Amino acid sequence: MFRSIVVGTDGSETAGKAVAAAIDLAALSGARLELVCAYEPVPVQRLEDSGHAAPPDEQWTVNQREEVDATLAAAASKAGAAGVEHGSYAREGDPADAILDVAEELGADLIVVGNKGMTGAKRFLLASVPNKVSHHAPCSVLIIRTS
């Protein structure tokens, strides 16, 4: 049914629900799960300030992806515990674009996103991740009710 499923996460509770659903679906279908997390660039000054405050042997950990790596590791741990083959992708920029790019690059069969941001007046905003993904996806999209 599905060979490759892409799901985005930012570590939030609602994203966790989408990840859990994607893990379940991947386990049922034998698909590979591709975990995506986007991040915004950290200002150089913050990196320099944080780097100087960190011990010399740990300064390499202060970077633009410090929180993203932990978020992806947590989701990967859950996928691994479920016996799901998976990959992780940290991408700089807009979350919807990151999900769409990974799905296109890998030829994914399905993208799983949560419905956060699709209720009330917000559902009309083009910046909504689930809205943008659903309108521009190169494959099918499953929107999980997370709220």
Side-chain angles (χ1 to χ4, degrees), residues 6-10 34-42 64-69 71-72 87-107:
V6 173
V7 63
T9 183
D10 60 5
E34 310 299 349
L35 304 159
V36 180
C37 188
Y39 61 94
E40 292 297 324
V42 178
Q64 298 175 345
R65 291 177 32 176
E66 58 194 38
E67 293 175 23
V68 171
D69 290 338
T71 298
L72 287 170
S88 297
Y89 302 85
R91 296 289 172 97
E92 185 177 311
D94 177 71
D97 288 337
I99 293 166
L100 292 167
D101 288 347
V102 170
E104 187 170 337
E105 289 167 16
L106 300 176

mmCIF file of all heavy atoms in Angstrom, residues 6-10 34-42 64-69 71-72 87-107:
data_model
loop_
_atom_site.group_PDB
_atom_site.id
_atom_site.type_symbol
_atom_site.label_atom_id
_atom_site.label_comp_id
_atom_site.label_asym_id
_atom_site.label_seq_id
_atom_site.Cartn_x
_atom_site.Cartn_y
_atom_site.Cartn_z
ATOM 1 N N VAL A 6 6.031 10.309 4.873
ATOM 2 C CA VAL A 6 6.717 11.475 5.429
ATOM 3 C C VAL A 6 5.821 12.114 6.477
ATOM 4 O O VAL A 6 4.624 12.301 6.254
ATOM 5 C CB VAL A 6 7.046 12.503 4.316
ATOM 6 C CG1 VAL A 6 7.602 13.794 4.909
ATOM 7 C CG2 VAL A 6 8.022 11.915 3.313
ATOM 8 N N VAL A 7 6.421 12.445 7.622
ATOM 9 C CA VAL A 7 5.688 13.149 8.669
ATOM 10 C C VAL A 7 6.587 14.230 9.252
ATOM 11 O O VAL A 7 7.776 14.024 9.455
ATOM 12 C CB VAL A 7 5.180 12.189 9.780
ATOM 13 C CG1 VAL A 7 6.322 11.517 10.506
ATOM 14 C CG2 VAL A 7 4.261 12.915 10.759
ATOM 15 N N GLY A 8 6.004 15.380 9.503
ATOM 16 C CA GLY A 8 6.750 16.482 10.102
ATOM 17 C C GLY A 8 6.507 16.543 11.592
ATOM 18 O O GLY A 8 5.442 16.176 12.076
ATOM 19 N N THR A 9 7.522 17.004 12.316
ATOM 20 C CA THR A 9 7.374 17.188 13.752
ATOM 21 C C THR A 9 8.147 18.413 14.209
ATOM 22 O O THR A 9 9.185 18.750 13.649
ATOM 23 C CB THR A 9 7.850 15.942 14.542
ATOM 24 O OG1 THR A 9 7.600 16.175 15.936
ATOM 25 C CG2 THR A 9 9.318 15.639 14.315
ATOM 26 N N ASP A 10 7.594 19.056 15.221
ATOM 27 C CA ASP A 10 8.308 20.158 15.867
ATOM 28 C C ASP A 10 8.462 19.875 17.356
ATOM 29 O O ASP A 10 8.862 20.728 18.121
ATOM 30 C CB ASP A 10 7.588 21.485 15.636
ATOM 31 C CG ASP A 10 6.171 21.501 16.190
ATOM 32 O OD1 ASP A 10 5.752 20.522 16.854
ATOM 33 O OD2 ASP A 10 5.456 22.504 15.973
ATOM 34 N N GLU A 34 9.734 8.639 7.147
ATOM 35 C CA GLU A 34 10.695 9.734 6.999
ATOM 36 C C GLU A 34 10.255 10.874 7.913
ATOM 37 O O GLU A 34 9.202 11.463 7.719
ATOM 38 C CB GLU A 34 10.767 10.196 5.543
ATOM 39 C CG GLU A 34 10.955 9.082 4.526
ATOM 40 C CD GLU A 34 12.234 8.266 4.683
ATOM 41 O OE1 GLU A 34 13.125 8.663 5.469
ATOM 42 O OE2 GLU A 34 12.345 7.225 4.018
ATOM 43 N N LEU A 35 11.047 11.162 8.930
ATOM 44 C CA LEU A 35 10.746 12.186 9.920
ATOM 45 C C LEU A 35 11.404 13.500 9.517
ATOM 46 O O LEU A 35 12.605 13.533 9.243
ATOM 47 C CB LEU A 35 11.270 11.751 11.284
ATOM 48 C CG LEU A 35 10.744 10.401 11.779
ATOM 49 C CD1 LEU A 35 11.658 9.825 12.843
ATOM 50 C CD2 LEU A 35 9.329 10.555 12.301
ATOM 51 N N VAL A 36 10.622 14.571 9.501
ATOM 52 C CA VAL A 36 11.127 15.873 9.059
ATOM 53 C C VAL A 36 10.907 16.904 10.152
ATOM 54 O O VAL A 36 9.833 16.974 10.743
ATOM 55 C CB VAL A 36 10.401 16.335 7.775
ATOM 56 C CG1 VAL A 36 10.931 17.693 7.316
ATOM 57 C CG2 VAL A 36 10.527 15.299 6.674
ATOM 58 N N CYS A 37 11.927 17.705 10.402
ATOM 59 C CA CYS A 37 11.813 18.806 11.354
ATOM 60 C C CYS A 37 12.493 20.030 10.737
ATOM 61 O O CYS A 37 13.630 19.940 10.271
ATOM 62 C CB CYS A 37 12.463 18.438 12.684
ATOM 63 S SG CYS A 37 12.162 19.638 13.999
ATOM 64 N N ALA A 38 11.781 21.135 10.727
ATOM 65 C CA ALA A 38 12.317 22.367 10.153
ATOM 66 C C ALA A 38 12.767 23.303 11.272
ATOM 67 O O ALA A 38 12.293 23.222 12.401
ATOM 68 C CB ALA A 38 11.258 23.059 9.308
ATOM 69 N N TYR A 39 13.692 24.166 10.941
ATOM 70 C CA TYR A 39 14.176 25.145 11.915
ATOM 71 C C TYR A 39 14.494 26.451 11.207
ATOM 72 O O TYR A 39 14.764 26.480 10.018
ATOM 73 C CB TYR A 39 15.406 24.628 12.661
ATOM 74 C CG TYR A 39 16.594 24.343 11.772
ATOM 75 C CD1 TYR A 39 17.578 25.305 11.565
ATOM 76 C CD2 TYR A 39 16.734 23.109 11.134
ATOM 77 C CE1 TYR A 39 18.669 25.044 10.752
ATOM 78 C CE2 TYR A 39 17.819 22.846 10.326
ATOM 79 C CZ TYR A 39 18.785 23.809 10.136
ATOM 80 O OH TYR A 39 19.860 23.555 9.326
ATOM 81 N N GLU A 40 14.401 27.509 11.981
ATOM 82 C CA GLU A 40 14.756 28.835 11.479
ATOM 83 C C GLU A 40 16.217 29.101 11.830
ATOM 84 O O GLU A 40 16.699 28.651 12.865
ATOM 85 C CB GLU A 40 13.864 29.905 12.113
ATOM 86 C CG GLU A 40 12.417 29.823 11.676
ATOM 87 C CD GLU A 40 12.223 30.052 10.193
ATOM 88 O OE1 GLU A 40 12.942 30.883 9.600
ATOM 89 O OE2 GLU A 40 11.347 29.387 9.614
ATOM 90 N N PRO A 41 16.913 29.829 10.996
ATOM 91 C CA PRO A 41 18.314 30.136 11.298
ATOM 92 C C PRO A 41 18.435 30.907 12.611
ATOM 93 O O PRO A 41 17.605 31.737 12.923
ATOM 94 C CB PRO A 41 18.758 31.017 10.133
ATOM 95 C CG PRO A 41 17.721 30.884 9.090
ATOM 96 C CD PRO A 41 16.466 30.418 9.751
ATOM 97 N N VAL A 42 19.456 30.576 13.367
ATOM 98 C CA VAL A 42 19.733 31.283 14.620
ATOM 99 C C VAL A 42 20.678 32.435 14.292
ATOM 100 O O VAL A 42 21.656 32.248 13.558
ATOM 101 C CB VAL A 42 20.398 30.333 15.643
ATOM 102 C CG1 VAL A 42 20.736 31.071 16.918
ATOM 103 C CG2 VAL A 42 19.476 29.158 15.931
ATOM 104 N N GLN A 64 22.548 25.773 14.909
ATOM 105 C CA GLN A 64 21.182 26.038 14.474
ATOM 106 C C GLN A 64 20.265 24.843 14.661
ATOM 107 O O GLN A 64 19.060 24.991 14.704
ATOM 108 C CB GLN A 64 21.175 26.443 13.004
ATOM 109 C CG GLN A 64 21.932 27.717 12.733
ATOM 110 C CD GLN A 64 22.019 28.019 11.259
ATOM 111 O OE1 GLN A 64 21.771 27.165 10.428
ATOM 112 N NE2 GLN A 64 22.383 29.237 10.930
ATOM 113 N N ARG A 65 20.821 23.653 14.771
ATOM 114 C CA ARG A 65 19.997 22.458 14.824
ATOM 115 C C ARG A 65 19.949 21.798 16.198
ATOM 116 O O ARG A 65 19.476 20.679 16.323
ATOM 117 C CB ARG A 65 20.522 21.442 13.805
ATOM 118 C CG ARG A 65 20.287 21.870 12.396
ATOM 119 C CD ARG A 65 20.844 20.934 11.383
ATOM 120 N NE ARG A 65 20.845 19.542 11.782
ATOM 121 C CZ ARG A 65 21.229 18.562 10.993
ATOM 122 N NH1 ARG A 65 21.630 18.826 9.778
ATOM 123 N NH2 ARG A 65 21.226 17.314 11.408
ATOM 124 N N GLU A 66 20.406 22.496 17.229
ATOM 125 C CA GLU A 66 20.510 21.854 18.544
ATOM 126 C C GLU A 66 19.186 21.251 19.023
ATOM 127 O O GLU A 66 19.162 20.107 19.485
ATOM 128 C CB GLU A 66 21.082 22.816 19.581
ATOM 129 C CG GLU A 66 20.270 24.093 19.754
ATOM 130 C CD GLU A 66 20.989 25.181 20.509
ATOM 131 O OE1 GLU A 66 22.192 25.344 20.318
ATOM 132 O OE2 GLU A 66 20.321 25.868 21.306
ATOM 133 N N GLU A 67 18.083 21.963 18.921
ATOM 134 C CA GLU A 67 16.796 21.447 19.372
ATOM 135 C C GLU A 67 16.184 20.498 18.351
ATOM 136 O O GLU A 67 15.486 19.552 18.708
ATOM 137 C CB GLU A 67 15.848 22.602 19.669
ATOM 138 C CG GLU A 67 16.287 23.433 20.866
ATOM 139 C CD GLU A 67 15.414 24.639 21.092
ATOM 140 O OE1 GLU A 67 14.252 24.637 20.635
ATOM 141 O OE2 GLU A 67 15.893 25.590 21.722
ATOM 142 N N VAL A 68 16.440 20.738 17.087
ATOM 143 C CA VAL A 68 15.899 19.901 16.021
ATOM 144 C C VAL A 68 16.430 18.483 16.127
ATOM 145 O O VAL A 68 15.680 17.512 15.985
ATOM 146 C CB VAL A 68 16.231 20.515 14.636
ATOM 147 C CG1 VAL A 68 15.888 19.563 13.515
ATOM 148 C CG2 VAL A 68 15.488 21.827 14.472
ATOM 149 N N ASP A 69 17.710 18.348 16.386
ATOM 150 C CA ASP A 69 18.303 17.017 16.501
ATOM 151 C C ASP A 69 17.659 16.230 17.641
ATOM 152 O O ASP A 69 17.377 15.038 17.499
ATOM 153 C CB ASP A 69 19.815 17.116 16.705
ATOM 154 C CG ASP A 69 20.536 17.607 15.455
ATOM 155 O OD1 ASP A 69 19.978 17.484 14.345
ATOM 156 O OD2 ASP A 69 21.659 18.109 15.597
ATOM 157 N N THR A 71 14.608 16.697 18.836
ATOM 158 C CA THR A 71 13.230 16.406 18.422
ATOM 159 C C THR A 71 13.191 15.204 17.492
ATOM 160 O O THR A 71 12.368 14.295 17.650
ATOM 161 C CB THR A 71 12.613 17.639 17.725
ATOM 162 O OG1 THR A 71 12.567 18.719 18.667
ATOM 163 C CG2 THR A 71 11.229 17.356 17.206
ATOM 164 N N LEU A 72 14.094 15.184 16.521
ATOM 165 C CA LEU A 72 14.144 14.057 15.584
ATOM 166 C C LEU A 72 14.555 12.767 16.289
ATOM 167 O O LEU A 72 14.011 11.695 15.998
ATOM 168 C CB LEU A 72 15.098 14.366 14.433
ATOM 169 C CG LEU A 72 14.590 15.377 13.413
ATOM 170 C CD1 LEU A 72 15.707 15.782 12.462
ATOM 171 C CD2 LEU A 72 13.395 14.825 12.643
ATOM 172 N N GLY A 87 14.047 7.322 8.657
ATOM 173 C CA GLY A 87 15.115 8.264 8.379
ATOM 174 C C GLY A 87 14.734 9.604 8.975
ATOM 175 O O GLY A 87 13.565 9.858 9.248
ATOM 176 N N SER A 88 15.721 10.467 9.195
ATOM 177 C CA SER A 88 15.467 11.780 9.793
ATOM 178 C C SER A 88 16.060 12.877 8.927
ATOM 179 O O SER A 88 17.170 12.736 8.416
ATOM 180 C CB SER A 88 16.093 11.851 11.192
ATOM 181 O OG SER A 88 15.509 10.904 12.047
ATOM 182 N N TYR A 89 15.323 13.972 8.819
ATOM 183 C CA TYR A 89 15.740 15.079 7.969
ATOM 184 C C TYR A 89 15.513 16.400 8.688
ATOM 185 O O TYR A 89 14.381 16.750 8.995
ATOM 186 C CB TYR A 89 14.937 15.076 6.658
ATOM 187 C CG TYR A 89 15.096 13.784 5.914
ATOM 188 C CD1 TYR A 89 14.290 12.690 6.210
ATOM 189 C CD2 TYR A 89 16.078 13.646 4.953
ATOM 190 C CE1 TYR A 89 14.457 11.477 5.559
ATOM 191 C CE2 TYR A 89 16.247 12.441 4.288
ATOM 192 C CZ TYR A 89 15.432 11.370 4.600
ATOM 193 O OH TYR A 89 15.611 10.166 3.953
ATOM 194 N N ALA A 90 16.577 17.124 8.974
ATOM 195 C CA ALA A 90 16.501 18.467 9.540
ATOM 196 C C ALA A 90 16.682 19.445 8.389
ATOM 197 O O ALA A 90 17.656 19.360 7.644
ATOM 198 C CB ALA A 90 17.588 18.673 10.581
ATOM 199 N N ARG A 91 15.740 20.339 8.224
ATOM 200 C CA ARG A 91 15.795 21.293 7.118
ATOM 201 C C ARG A 91 15.599 22.706 7.624
ATOM 202 O O ARG A 91 14.725 22.974 8.438
ATOM 203 C CB ARG A 91 14.694 20.992 6.090
ATOM 204 C CG ARG A 91 14.838 19.648 5.398
ATOM 205 C CD ARG A 91 16.024 19.674 4.444
ATOM 206 N NE ARG A 91 16.326 18.378 3.892
ATOM 207 C CZ ARG A 91 15.910 17.949 2.714
ATOM 208 N NH1 ARG A 91 15.149 18.704 1.966
ATOM 209 N NH2 ARG A 91 16.261 16.752 2.293
ATOM 210 N N GLU A 92 16.414 23.599 7.117
ATOM 211 C CA GLU A 92 16.284 25.012 7.459
ATOM 212 C C GLU A 92 15.166 25.611 6.634
ATOM 213 O O GLU A 92 15.073 25.365 5.432
ATOM 214 C CB GLU A 92 17.592 25.738 7.161
ATOM 215 C CG GLU A 92 17.590 27.187 7.584
ATOM 216 C CD GLU A 92 18.927 27.863 7.338
ATOM 217 O OE1 GLU A 92 19.966 27.296 7.730
ATOM 218 O OE2 GLU A 92 18.914 28.955 6.743
ATOM 219 N N GLY A 93 14.294 26.391 7.285
ATOM 220 C CA GLY A 93 13.261 27.102 6.555
ATOM 221 C C GLY A 93 11.853 26.767 7.004
ATOM 222 O O GLY A 93 11.628 26.252 8.092
ATOM 223 N N ASP A 94 10.910 27.042 6.138
ATOM 224 C CA ASP A 94 9.490 26.859 6.397
ATOM 225 C C ASP A 94 9.146 25.382 6.606
ATOM 226 O O ASP A 94 9.568 24.533 5.808
ATOM 227 C CB ASP A 94 8.707 27.411 5.192
ATOM 228 C CG ASP A 94 7.227 27.197 5.324
ATOM 229 O OD1 ASP A 94 6.610 27.877 6.165
ATOM 230 O OD2 ASP A 94 6.682 26.338 4.598
ATOM 231 N N PRO A 95 8.385 25.046 7.655
ATOM 232 C CA PRO A 95 8.050 23.650 7.922
ATOM 233 C C PRO A 95 7.305 22.956 6.770
ATOM 234 O O PRO A 95 7.626 21.818 6.430
ATOM 235 C CB PRO A 95 7.165 23.720 9.168
ATOM 236 C CG PRO A 95 7.555 24.988 9.841
ATOM 237 C CD PRO A 95 7.919 25.932 8.727
ATOM 238 N N ALA A 96 6.339 23.632 6.181
ATOM 239 C CA ALA A 96 5.596 23.018 5.073
ATOM 240 C C ALA A 96 6.524 22.748 3.889
ATOM 241 O O ALA A 96 6.460 21.672 3.273
ATOM 242 C CB ALA A 96 4.431 23.906 4.654
ATOM 243 N N ASP A 97 7.383 23.694 3.578
ATOM 244 C CA ASP A 97 8.324 23.501 2.473
ATOM 245 C C ASP A 97 9.274 22.343 2.758
ATOM 246 O O ASP A 97 9.606 21.570 1.861
ATOM 247 C CB ASP A 97 9.125 24.779 2.203
ATOM 248 C CG ASP A 97 8.289 25.872 1.560
ATOM 249 O OD1 ASP A 97 7.254 25.548 0.935
ATOM 250 O OD2 ASP A 97 8.679 27.048 1.672
ATOM 251 N N ALA A 98 9.706 22.219 4.007
ATOM 252 C CA ALA A 98 10.607 21.122 4.373
ATOM 253 C C ALA A 98 9.930 19.778 4.152
ATOM 254 O O ALA A 98 10.516 18.856 3.564
ATOM 255 C CB ALA A 98 11.037 21.269 5.826
ATOM 256 N N ILE A 99 8.695 19.644 4.593
ATOM 257 C CA ILE A 99 7.936 18.403 4.414
ATOM 258 C C ILE A 99 7.744 18.106 2.937
ATOM 259 O O ILE A 99 7.964 16.979 2.477
ATOM 260 C CB ILE A 99 6.581 18.495 5.143
ATOM 261 C CG1 ILE A 99 6.800 18.550 6.660
ATOM 262 C CG2 ILE A 99 5.675 17.331 4.762
ATOM 263 C CD1 ILE A 99 5.570 18.965 7.448
ATOM 264 N N LEU A 100 7.340 19.107 2.180
ATOM 265 C CA LEU A 100 7.101 18.933 0.747
ATOM 266 C C LEU A 100 8.382 18.565 0.005
ATOM 267 O O LEU A 100 8.375 17.693 -0.868
ATOM 268 C CB LEU A 100 6.484 20.207 0.155
ATOM 269 C CG LEU A 100 5.066 20.523 0.626
ATOM 270 C CD1 LEU A 100 4.683 21.941 0.236
ATOM 271 C CD2 LEU A 100 4.072 19.516 0.072
ATOM 272 N N ASP A 101 9.484 19.209 0.353
ATOM 273 C CA ASP A 101 10.763 18.927 -0.305
ATOM 274 C C ASP A 101 11.209 17.487 -0.064
ATOM 275 O O ASP A 101 11.621 16.794 -0.999
ATOM 276 C CB ASP A 101 11.848 19.894 0.181
ATOM 277 C CG ASP A 101 11.669 21.313 -0.338
ATOM 278 O OD1 ASP A 101 10.858 21.521 -1.268
ATOM 279 O OD2 ASP A 101 12.335 22.219 0.200
ATOM 280 N N VAL A 102 11.129 17.039 1.185
ATOM 281 C CA VAL A 102 11.542 15.669 1.492
ATOM 282 C C VAL A 102 10.636 14.673 0.769
ATOM 283 O O VAL A 102 11.114 13.701 0.193
ATOM 284 C CB VAL A 102 11.569 15.422 3.020
ATOM 285 C CG1 VAL A 102 11.749 13.938 3.335
ATOM 286 C CG2 VAL A 102 12.678 16.244 3.665
ATOM 287 N N ALA A 103 9.340 14.925 0.781
ATOM 288 C CA ALA A 103 8.402 14.019 0.104
ATOM 289 C C ALA A 103 8.708 13.927 -1.386
ATOM 290 O O ALA A 103 8.702 12.834 -1.964
ATOM 291 C CB ALA A 103 6.964 14.492 0.321
ATOM 292 N N GLU A 104 8.999 15.059 -1.999
ATOM 293 C CA GLU A 104 9.304 15.062 -3.429
ATOM 294 C C GLU A 104 10.644 14.381 -3.710
ATOM 295 O O GLU A 104 10.762 13.573 -4.631
ATOM 296 C CB GLU A 104 9.309 16.494 -3.969
ATOM 297 C CG GLU A 104 9.443 16.543 -5.470
ATOM 298 C CD GLU A 104 9.218 17.934 -6.029
ATOM 299 O OE1 GLU A 104 8.559 18.757 -5.369
ATOM 300 O OE2 GLU A 104 9.706 18.191 -7.140
ATOM 301 N N GLU A 105 11.657 14.711 -2.926
ATOM 302 C CA GLU A 105 12.987 14.131 -3.131
ATOM 303 C C GLU A 105 12.978 12.608 -3.009
ATOM 304 O O GLU A 105 13.684 11.915 -3.742
ATOM 305 C CB GLU A 105 13.976 14.703 -2.103
ATOM 306 C CG GLU A 105 14.335 16.148 -2.343
ATOM 307 C CD GLU A 105 15.056 16.774 -1.153
ATOM 308 O OE1 GLU A 105 15.545 16.037 -0.276
ATOM 309 O OE2 GLU A 105 15.117 18.020 -1.108
ATOM 310 N N LEU A 106 12.177 12.082 -2.086
ATOM 311 C CA LEU A 106 12.163 10.649 -1.826
ATOM 312 C C LEU A 106 11.091 9.898 -2.605
ATOM 313 O O LEU A 106 11.022 8.673 -2.539
ATOM 314 C CB LEU A 106 11.971 10.398 -0.319
ATOM 315 C CG LEU A 106 13.042 10.985 0.592
ATOM 316 C CD1 LEU A 106 12.685 10.753 2.045
ATOM 317 C CD2 LEU A 106 14.408 10.395 0.264
ATOM 318 N N GLY A 107 10.243 10.629 -3.304
ATOM 319 C CA GLY A 107 9.152 9.981 -4.029
ATOM 320 C C GLY A 107 8.174 9.320 -3.068
ATOM 321 O O GLY A 107 7.706 8.200 -3.303
#
